[in-house]
Amino acid sequence: MKPFCFADGQIIPTEKASIHPMDLGFIRGYGIFDFFRTVNFQPLFLDSYLDRFFASAEKTFLPLDYTRAELKAVIQDLIEKNHLKDGGIRMVLSGGISQNHFSPAKGKLFIFAESLIFPAQEKYEKGIKLLSLEYVRPIADIKTTNYALSVWDSMRWKDAGAEDVLYHMNGIISESSRSNFFIVKDGTISTPDTHVLMGITRKHVIELAGEVQIRPISLQEALNADEAFITSTTKVLLPVTQIDEHEIGTGKPGPVSLDLLEKFRKLEKELCY
């Protein structure tokens, strides 16, 4: 965590940020957040992240008493004060202090600046393992702060040498716990269409790919894919070479995945350098 954050309507030392113990964000795990990267002191895809943050606030009935211009100004101030060349910005809106300790109320907005550690280069070169899990994330189109299941279950991943999980229900895949999921079969790229967060990295990967099928994908299809990969803000694009004990394709990152990763890196440079 970097030295300065935004809380109580102003930029303050991060160590002084606080939340009321009866806030729904604390006692019920109810709140929203979003997270984006800074590249060369520039917030990457900021408008898209703000679009999602405002939409999440509206869908969760949480008042957000700041304009887009005001949030952009705060974010720029935080980048400068924290000298955040390549890092992350986390926006959090809590559920508020509710009279009945249950219904959404007026929450508290925090914006934090963070250091960012990417996955090891070896994971991009060799690919990662996912563990299948029968589950659908609640209100999946909203980026809520409720990660209780995945935080608890993450100890299982570590024991199994996995990077993350792959959610599915009735044989149909949705997403990973913090990433979107794609498969490649016979050169065609596909990604799930329902019970998923509309990821910003997902959006730009789809644009870079040119043609992607957005449709239901079965777990069996994923196991039989030529390639698979996940996308997220912090991982960008990570090849998936194993699901449970099943090897995907050749067991190595495929050409389509690696080409898209290279195109995304070029896009970053075009936008931020």
Side-chain angles (χ1 to χ4, degrees), residues 173-216:
I173 288 169
S174 53
E175 58 187 1
S176 182
S177 75
R178 295 157 292 170
S179 307
N180 291 113
F181 181 76
F182 291 75
I183 64 169
V184 182
K185 185 68 175 180
D186 298 327
T188 299
I189 305 170
S190 303
T191 192
D193 58 343
T194 57
H195 301 301
V196 301
L197 182 72
M198 296 299 144
I200 307 305
T201 305
R202 172 186 185 267
K203 170 187 171 183
H204 286 89
V205 165
I206 289 172
E207 291 174 356
L208 289 170
E211 185 175 346
V212 173
Q213 293 185 357
I214 303 174
R215 61 175 179 82

Side-chain angles (χ1 to χ4, degrees), residues 103-209:
S103 300
K106 184 176 180 179
K108 186 171 181 178
L109 176 67
F110 299 90
I111 306 179
F112 299 103
E114 305 176 17
S115 299
L116 189 59
I117 301 174
F118 283 107
Q121 183 60 31
E122 181 183 35
K123 294 182 179 180
Y124 292 95
E125 296 171 353
K126 295 184 177 180
I128 61 165
K129 176 182 178 180
L130 298 179
L131 296 181
S132 62
L133 178 64
E134 192 166 11
Y135 179 69
V136 170
R137 193 166 54 85
I139 47 177
D141 62 325
I142 301 172
K143 202 166 177 67
T144 72
T145 56
N146 179 10
Y147 279 71
L149 176 75
S150 54
V151 170
W152 171 76
D153 196 41
S154 66
M155 302 308 294
R156 178 176 70 103
W157 318 342
K158 294 176 182 178
D159 290 342
E163 180 75 16
D164 211 318
V165 288
L166 181 61
Y167 295 147
H168 63 94
M169 183 62 68
N170 299 322
I172 302 299
I173 288 169
S174 53
E175 58 187 1
S176 182
S177 75
R178 295 157 292 170
S179 307
N180 291 113
F181 181 76
F182 291 75
I183 64 169
V184 182
K185 185 68 175 180
D186 298 327
T188 299
I189 305 170
S190 303
T191 192
D193 58 343
T194 57
H195 301 301
V196 301
L197 182 72
M198 296 299 144
I200 307 305
T201 305
R202 172 186 185 267
K203 170 187 171 183
H204 286 89
V205 165
I206 289 172
E207 291 174 356
L208 289 170

Side-chain angles (χ1 to χ4, degrees), residues 198-267:
M198 296 299 144
I200 307 305
T201 305
R202 172 186 185 267
K203 170 187 171 183
H204 286 89
V205 165
I206 289 172
E207 291 174 356
L208 289 170
E211 185 175 346
V212 173
Q213 293 185 357
I214 303 174
R215 61 175 179 82
I217 297 175
S218 70
L219 179 58
Q220 191 59 50
E221 276 188 274
L223 296 177
N224 293 333
D226 299 327
E227 301 178 41
F229 58 89
I230 57 174
T231 62
S232 76
T233 299
T234 55
K235 298 177 179 67
V236 185
L237 186 155
L238 262 182
V240 175
T241 51
Q242 187 177 342
I243 298 175
D244 296 328
E245 300 310 313
H246 187 95
E247 189 175 85
I248 305 302
T250 64
K252 298 178 180 179
V256 175
S257 305
L258 295 177
D259 179 63
L260 281 172
L261 176 58
E262 183 179 353
K263 287 179 178 177
F264 195 94
R265 294 299 194 195
K266 287 181 179 178
L267 177 61

Side-chain angles (χ1 to χ4, degrees), residues 19-182:
I19 190 168
H20 194 285
M22 291 304 290
D23 192 294
L24 290 182
F26 186 71
I27 65 171
R28 302 290 186 189
Y30 191 81
I32 63 168
F33 81 104
D34 225 308
F35 184 89
F36 57 88
R37 290 166 48 213
T38 61
V39 179
N40 193 32
F41 299 106
Q42 303 296 316
L44 187 64
F45 309 134
L46 178 57
D47 281 315
S48 293
Y49 285 99
L50 288 177
D51 285 344
R52 189 169 67 183
F53 192 61
F54 277 101
S56 292
E58 182 177 0
K59 291 176 181 177
T60 50
F61 312 102
L62 295 177
L64 181 54
D65 297 334
Y66 294 89
T67 66
R68 179 181 294 259
E70 288 170 335
L71 288 184
K72 283 186 173 182
V74 169
I75 288 164
Q76 194 57 49
D77 283 348
L78 284 175
I79 291 172
E80 292 173 6
K81 284 185 177 294
N82 288 293
H83 197 68
L84 196 69
K85 181 179 181 181
D86 299 300
I89 297 286
R90 185 180 304 273
M91 304 180 291
V92 182
L93 182 61
S94 72
I97 302 171
S98 172
Q99 288 188 350
N100 65 0
H101 310 304
F102 199 80
S103 300
K106 184 176 180 179
K108 186 171 181 178
L109 176 67
F110 299 90
I111 306 179
F112 299 103
E114 305 176 17
S115 299
L116 189 59
I117 301 174
F118 283 107
Q121 183 60 31
E122 181 183 35
K123 294 182 179 180
Y124 292 95
E125 296 171 353
K126 295 184 177 180
I128 61 165
K129 176 182 178 180
L130 298 179
L131 296 181
S132 62
L133 178 64
E134 192 166 11
Y135 179 69
V136 170
R137 193 166 54 85
I139 47 177
D141 62 325
I142 301 172
K143 202 166 177 67
T144 72
T145 56
N146 179 10
Y147 279 71
L149 176 75
S150 54
V151 170
W152 171 76
D153 196 41
S154 66
M155 302 308 294
R156 178 176 70 103
W157 318 342
K158 294 176 182 178
D159 290 342
E163 180 75 16
D164 211 318
V165 288
L166 181 61
Y167 295 147
H168 63 94
M169 183 62 68
N170 299 322
I172 302 299
I173 288 169
S174 53
E175 58 187 1
S176 182
S177 75
R178 295 157 292 170
S179 307
N180 291 113
F181 181 76
F182 291 75

